[in-house]
Amino acid sequence: MSVEVGDDDEIAVAWENAEPDALERAYRRWGGLVHGLARRAVGPDDADDVTQAVFVSAWRGRTTYDRGSAPLGAWLVGITRRRIADQLRARQRQAPVAQEQDDVPDDAAWTAADSTDLLTVYEELERIGDPQRRIILLAYVEDLTQREIAERLDLPLGTVKTHTNRTLARLRTLLGGA
Amino acid sequence: MNETDRYAERPAGDPTPGRAEELLQRAGDLSPAPEGPLWERIQAEVDGVGRDELEARRRAGGARTRRRVGRWPLLAAAAAGALVAWVGTQVVGAGAPRDEIVVADAALSDLPEAGATVDGTAEVVSVDGERRLRVQLDELPDTGEGYLEVWLLRPDVSGLVTVGVIADTTAEFSLPATVDLQEYPVVDISREQLDGDPSHGGTSLVRGELHTADAGPGEPPPAATDDLTSTSSTDREAYR
């Protein structure tokens, strides 16, 4: 969470211009997110492969990226969703008998529906961007109070509450109102 | 703690914590970068190096470049090779005497910040067309819990190539033809921890600059190189 507001867009510009360090900067910024999402979906053993596939295919397909239509983080999460699907399909081909997630005791609590919804949540947070993204993560990942978040981000408390409510409502709609 | 304060009021008609909040809490912090050599693998694949090849190189102690090396260094290396002198010494362990060409050599000096007092020499020889980096240290620096790794750096430390692990006072490494010694002339020996991180650990013990054999008396080793010895963790990121 050390990434400052504004960094993301800079990385996206570097990415669009195919600057030599753009891939590494994107990996430093979103590698943890991609890997974390992959881990919940395919388990720790295959999460490395999925992460590698995401960044390699994203870089090779970078000319298809359009900063105007999506922030880079949301685009990468979208690619993560597809590479996870590839991985699960490959797994099914290899072992038609369902032995789903036997090898992933750490993440046994993550069903396919959970990991898919988590992808949706993070894709949307990356799409909305800061400060909403940070507000939601500080509230639910770092467990800060609304007041603490307001102080941390130097925003009025009312603004933090409004952003929280609106973003949660948006996420709820995306997840089918659950 | 006050729940109303902790979380904003729920939208009307929804008294239960939402699924999004619950998933975010369960997933925890996803921001830390993955551990292990994953970045290395991604970069290698993007650069067209297969994973098996990368592993094989690592096991063999061969070199891998961190930045793409273009075609022109091949030509530059060939040009340098055309101007060097023949010395014709015997390679230890070789079945028959073979001609070798000294392509470049360097005096290695300890870096004061490293707390080591070790000097040595390095030379690049061409044996049957293959370039080898030969390192000789006066004594083996203290490695603590870790080990010593040999690198070739750009003079401004903007890029580096790992050459291999040195476990004795002498070692010889095979250099791929694609590594341009004009571009990466600085021999650097660093102390590395057994932490699974393949990047430069930031502690350089010994360093010296290679001078190609036709270059005449070279300049002294680059004292001005921004020492890896003093790199902070932030700087270190730049080498990853």
Side-chain angles (χ1 to χ4, degrees):
Chain A
M1 304 250 176
S2 58
V3 175
E4 297 304 319
V5 176
D7 281 4
D8 291 1
D9 211 42
E10 260 177 47
I11 299 173
V13 170
W15 183 277
E16 249 187 0
N17 295 333
E19 287 173 21
D21 66 343
L23 177 59
E24 178 160 8
R25 290 175 69 189
Y27 177 78
R28 298 285 159 228
R29 167 62 183 83
W30 288 287
L33 176 60
V34 168
H35 192 266
L37 292 171
R39 190 186 147 91
R40 269 76 187 177
V42 301
D45 290 348
D46 289 333
D48 282 5
D49 287 348
V50 168
T51 306
Q52 181 172 351
V54 167
F55 282 94
V56 169
S57 62
W59 185 245
R60 287 186 179 149
R62 62 188 176 276
T63 52
T64 64
Y65 173 65
D66 174 17
R67 198 156 46 91
S69 59
L72 185 54
W75 189 68
L76 289 172
V77 175
I79 294 173
T80 306
R81 187 191 295 277
R82 293 198 285 280
R83 294 294 85 81
I84 286 172
D86 294 346
Q87 181 76 27
L88 293 175
R89 262 198 303 277
R91 198 181 280 184
Q92 255 174 356
R93 274 199 301 274
Q94 281 165 6
V97 182
Q99 48 157 2
E100 207 172 299
Q101 305 199 342
D102 272 2
D103 56 334
V104 291
D106 284 7
D107 296 296
W110 288 89
T111 65
D114 289 346
S115 57
T116 303
D117 283 354
L118 187 69
L119 273 162
T120 303
V121 168
Y122 268 103
E123 187 172 5
E124 187 61 17
L125 290 178
E126 289 292 340
R127 192 181 304 280
I128 297 172
D130 291 328
Q132 289 91 329
R133 181 188 70 95
R134 290 203 74 199
I135 289 171
I136 293 297
L137 294 182
L138 288 171
Y140 297 104
V141 176
E142 300 204 2
D143 207 25
L144 297 189
T145 66
Q146 298 281 288
R147 193 174 304 282
E148 286 165 342
I149 294 168
E151 282 165 13
R152 176 83 69 94
L153 301 182
D154 199 18
L155 290 171
L157 180 59
T159 305
V160 170
K161 288 187 172 180
T162 306
H163 279 322
T164 306
N165 279 334
R166 284 188 186 158
T167 309
L168 286 179
R170 171 95 190 112
L171 293 174
R172 193 163 292 121
T173 307
L174 281 173
L175 296 182
Chain B
M1 192 165 293
N2 184 338
E3 276 299 304
T4 317
D5 190 34
R6 175 172 293 281
Y7 305 129
E9 296 82 356
R10 311 281 164 206
D14 182 10
T16 56
R19 178 157 169 77
E21 299 95 292
E22 184 245 333
L23 288 171
L24 285 167
Q25 277 170 337
R26 266 173 64 203
D29 188 3
L30 301 189
S31 60
E35 292 173 3
L38 188 51
W39 166 244
E40 191 91 348
R41 279 168 47 184
I42 291 168
Q43 200 176 32
E45 189 177 346
V46 166
D47 286 347
V49 180
R51 196 200 308 177
D52 293 345
E53 194 180 339
L54 189 73
E55 290 299 321
R57 285 185 192 182
R58 189 172 296 151
R59 276 198 300 275
R64 60 187 190 273
T65 53
R66 301 192 152 264
R67 290 170 196 277
R68 189 189 292 272
V69 179
R71 282 189 187 282
W72 67 268
L74 281 167
L75 301 174
L83 295 166
V84 298
W86 292 79
V87 290
T89 49
Q90 186 171 353
V91 177
V92 177
R98 288 188 292 172
D99 289 323
E100 64 176 49
I101 312 167
V102 176
V103 178
D105 58 14
L108 302 177
S109 309
D110 55 282
L111 294 164
E113 300 91 330
T117 51
V118 177
D119 292 338
T121 56
E123 61 182 9
V124 175
V125 296
S126 176
V127 182
D128 294 346
E130 181 199 34
R131 293 184 307 166
R132 296 182 185 179
L133 175 66
R134 199 172 285 160
V135 177
Q136 181 150 23
L137 298 172
D138 296 345
E139 58 183 290
L140 202 60
D142 177 26
T143 58
E145 300 276 294
Y147 61 96
L148 299 174
E149 187 160 358
V150 181
W151 309 77
L152 290 174
L153 313 183
R154 287 199 184 119
D156 63 358
V157 203
S158 65
L160 71 175
V161 179
T162 176
V163 175
V165 170
I166 179 168
D168 204 346
T169 52
T170 59
E172 190 168 307
F173 306 95
S174 180
L175 292 179
T178 45
V179 175
D180 179 13
L181 295 176
Q182 312 276 354
E183 188 181 2
Y184 296 93
V186 179
V187 177
D188 174 284
I189 300 179
S190 69
R191 183 163 56 209
E192 299 293 328
Q193 301 303 318
L194 285 164
D195 53 9
D197 180 351
S199 61
H200 195 294
T203 308
S204 294
L205 302 180
V206 182
R207 195 178 280 178
E209 183 164 0
L210 288 165
H211 297 282
T212 46
D214 59 305
E219 292 157 10
T225 40
D226 264 10
D227 290 343
L228 291 167
T229 51
S230 58
T231 44
S232 68
S233 59
T234 320
D235 293 337
R236 210 176 294 155
E237 285 297 302
Y239 299 109
R240 293 173 61 112

